[in-house]
């Protein structure tokens, strides 16, 4: 059931995201920048909130007038700032909702990746607490409605000695002290929210917390346009002598408020409890089969730290050497953080398939899919290639080519393949060309697999693809599981292109110096340099 919902949602996201990739470019696709946009909107809310606070009178009598004053007499700056504050808060809710759905759809919430999902739950509560206390402060008719419904909701819980709704049903009962408490909450809760947002991304390496400049400017321009077109206004002074009727509701922050009348407070709490429990339990229901974490083989680790730099999940740290080899550090894996994507295997300078030893060992390896097996699979698959234009496909298990049968070797992530594997395939005449087929560029399942692969091929990131490897013999295809047809068309075109090419003249053995660098012979780790 959950699986069916997930795959339906995934299809939905795929159908929207790929046209967005073309419209905005993969780098600027807002759906691939939801977390970063969340931080961006948070900062806009924070800055505009500080600005508004300068004008705001925190006393109950003067609060409404002060907001009116800054909206009407100061609309040019404070009014726009007020609209920024409100609309950026609304956008934050939209972003959180879409972000949550997307992370669920792409299955980024289970197994070892539970942490970011789980910490998203307090984020939702704190975000709503911030928004609701914010509506309270304006002290207009909507604020009165919010105050009344919220306090009735809270009174339903057996926590307060005296009912707090009493404060809002008659004139003269609401104290400035209570109002000041709301002001304090509206400042303190977002600060705590920021702290949890920081915790939320602790287990992610290089999290995208700033959207690309062009996207940030576009969002600012859109916010400004809406703020001028429909400035945020109050809905008339609160009057405790009258029950507020027909207030305009912010459906993003207050969707449950009308339900308190329809369902009753108990049912609304039951709904909130069930929703929170569902979010909290989802990472473990149904469980994800966990592949075993990578293991470090110290006799092949020279402490270069490339694996630690490339791991997308902060699962590797460099620690002091323990085995007496003359390197200051060694890699250490935290198995509870490792998703077994294999990206670190592709980063390790010891991961070179040229080595002649039968038991190909590397510095860091997946126990269930070691580099040795990958080399064997590549060699076995290559023997099945025939005719003109022999193309071997290295496919990510989450991308469009994962289901191919012929000429394809599937990996947990294409960045698991060290660039030397491509050199190996072409120089050993295992194929005329290699296709590297990963996830869609803006939706890499393992966050950084596509990026690292591209940078390694462009010789911008170690270990890079050596200059001697002809780039016209390699094709990269970034396509989601929904784009099987496009991937097939591109692979077929590449096969045809390879068929038209003369035989590749790289089949000579590696020069002695290169052989030494890539570890052609089995030498101890200290003899290897960072190639
Ligand atoms: C203010 C609200 C939020 C902000 C600013 C935020 C921000 C972020 C950022 C920056 C990332 C890293 C993205 C990347 O670089 O790949 C991220 C990842 C993630 N977030 Fe959020 N988030 C928020 C709310 C939530 C909520 C409510 C949930 C779900 C309950 C959630 C679930 C996740 C998950 C599952 C990941 C991915 C972790 C992974 O790839 O392993 N987030 N978030
Ligand atoms: S397999 Fe992936 S998650 Fe695990 S340590 Fe290596 S790069 Fe990190
Ligand atoms: S040699 Fe390999 S395992 Fe050791 S630190 Fe470098 S990349 Fe990591």
């Amino acid at each position: 059931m959950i699986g069916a919902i997930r795959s339906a949602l995934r299809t939905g996201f795929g159908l929207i995201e790929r046209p967005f990739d073309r419209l905005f470019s993969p780098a600027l696709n807002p759906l691939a920048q939801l977390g970063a946009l969340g931080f961006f909107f948070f900062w806009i809310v924070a800055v505009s909130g500080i600005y508004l606070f300068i004008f705001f009178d925190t006393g109950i009598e003067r609060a409404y007038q002060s907001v009116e004053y800054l909206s009407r007499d100061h609309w040019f700056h404070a009014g726009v700032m007020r609209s920024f504050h409100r609309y950026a808060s609304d956008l934050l809710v939209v972003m959180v909702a879409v972000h949550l759905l997307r992370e669920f759809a792409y299955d980024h919430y289970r197994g070892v990746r539970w942490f970011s999902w789980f910490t998203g739950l307090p984020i939702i509560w704190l975000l709503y607490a911030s928004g609701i206390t914010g509506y309270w402060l304006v002290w207009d008719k909507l604020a009165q409605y919010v105050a009344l419904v919220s306090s009735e909701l809270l009174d339903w819980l057996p926590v307060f000695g005296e009912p707090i709704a009493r404060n809002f049903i008659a004139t003269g009962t609401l104290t400035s002290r209570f109002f000041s408490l709301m002001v304090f909450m509206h400042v303190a809760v977002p600060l705590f929210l920021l702290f949890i947002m920081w915790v939320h991304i602790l287990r992610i390496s290089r999290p995208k917390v700033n959207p690309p400049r062009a996207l940030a400017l576009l969002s600012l321009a859109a916010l400004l346009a809406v703020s001028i077109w429909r400035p945020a206004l109050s809905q008339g002074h609160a009057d405790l002598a009258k029950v507020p009727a027909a207030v305009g509701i912010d459906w993003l922050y207050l969707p449950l408020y009308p339900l308190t009348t329809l369902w009753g407070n108990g049912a609304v709490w039951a709904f909130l409890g069930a929703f929170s429990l569902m979010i909290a339990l989802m990472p473990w229901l149904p469980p994800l089969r966990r592949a075993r974490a990578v293991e470090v083989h110290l006799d092949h680790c020279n402490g270069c730290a490339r694996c630690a730099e490339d791991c997308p999940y902060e699962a590797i740290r460099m620690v002091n050497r323990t085995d007496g080899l003359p390197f200051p550090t060694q890699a250490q894996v935290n198995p509870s953080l490792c998703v077994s994507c294999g990206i670190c295997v592709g980063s390790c300078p010891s991961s070179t398939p040229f080595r002649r030893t039968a038991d190909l060992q590397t510095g860091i390896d997946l126990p269930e899919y070691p580099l040795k097996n990958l080399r064997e699979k590549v060699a076995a698959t290559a023997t099945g290639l025939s005719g003109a234009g022999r193309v071997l496909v290295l496919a990510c298990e989450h991308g469009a080519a994962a289901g191919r049968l012929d000429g394809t070797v599937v990996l947990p992530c294409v960045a698991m393949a060290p660039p030397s594997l491509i050199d190996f395939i072409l120089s050993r005449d295992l194929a005329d060309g290699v296709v590297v087929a990963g996830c869609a560029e803006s939706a890499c399942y393992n966050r950084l697999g596509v990026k690292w692969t591209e940078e390694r091929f462009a010789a911008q990131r170690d270990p890079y693809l050596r200059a001697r490897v002809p780039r016209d013999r390699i094709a990269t295809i970034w396509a989601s599981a929904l784009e099987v047809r496009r991937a097939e068309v591109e692979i077929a075109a590449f096969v045809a292109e390879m068929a038209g090419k003369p035989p590749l003249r790289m089949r000579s053995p590696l020069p002695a110096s290169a052989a030494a660098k890539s570890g052609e012979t089995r030498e101890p780790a200290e003899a290897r340099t960072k190639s």
Side-chain angles (χ1 to χ4, degrees), residues 83-284:
S83 305
F84 261 52
H85 195 64
R86 182 181 294 180
Y87 295 138
S89 311
D90 281 342
L91 282 174
L92 196 47
V93 173
V94 174
M95 169 263 142
V96 167
V98 184
H99 175 57
L100 181 155
L101 288 174
R102 188 173 185 269
E103 300 302 340
F104 168 67
Y106 286 114
D107 207 354
H108 289 169
Y109 65 100
R110 289 192 292 165
V112 172
R113 295 170 93 165
W114 66 274
F115 185 81
S116 297
W117 179 267
F118 196 77
T119 51
L121 181 58
I123 289 186
I124 300 175
W125 278 91
L126 292 168
L127 179 60
Y128 273 83
S130 310
I132 289 166
T133 49
Y135 273 115
W136 206 308
L137 295 193
V138 182
W139 208 229
D140 62 350
K141 290 197 164 55
L142 175 61
Q144 189 185 343
Y145 171 77
V146 168
L148 196 61
V149 177
S150 310
S151 50
E152 281 174 357
L153 258 175
L154 289 173
D155 284 340
W156 190 89
L157 297 172
V159 278
F160 298 102
E162 290 192 15
I164 48 174
R166 256 194 355 193
N167 282 300
F168 307 104
I169 47 177
T171 45
T173 50
L174 182 63
T175 62
S176 265
R177 255 214 344 233
F178 193 84
F179 199 75
S180 303
L181 177 70
M182 284 303 128
V183 178
F184 171 75
M185 295 259 297
H186 191 58
V187 177
V189 175
L191 281 178
F192 192 50
L193 169 63
L194 181 62
F195 171 69
I196 303 289
M197 279 159 63
W198 171 73
V199 173
H200 180 64
I201 49 170
L202 271 185
R203 287 195 173 183
I204 293 177
S205 126
R206 296 180 172 79
K208 283 186 275 182
V209 288
N210 293 315
R213 194 168 296 170
L215 194 59
L217 288 175
L218 209 68
S219 312
L220 267 181
L223 267 175
L224 187 64
V226 178
S227 301
I228 292 172
W229 174 51
R230 275 183 165 240
L233 295 173
S234 307
Q235 300 188 30
H237 200 313
D239 180 359
L240 292 187
K242 292 184 197 151
V243 176
V247 285
I249 277 200
D250 180 337
W251 288 100
L252 290 167
Y253 274 98
L254 309 166
L256 296 184
Y257 275 52
L259 291 181
T260 53
T261 339
L262 283 176
W263 294 355
N265 293 327
V268 168
W269 277 121
F271 173 82
L272 287 173
F275 172 78
S276 303
L277 197 66
M278 183 188 78
I279 296 284
L281 293 180
M282 268 174 68
W284 295 276

Side-chain angles (χ1 to χ4, degrees), residues 294 311-313 315-316 338-344:
V294 279
C311 172
Y313 305 101
I316 305 173
C338 172
V339 305
S340 314
C341 63
I343 289 179
C344 51

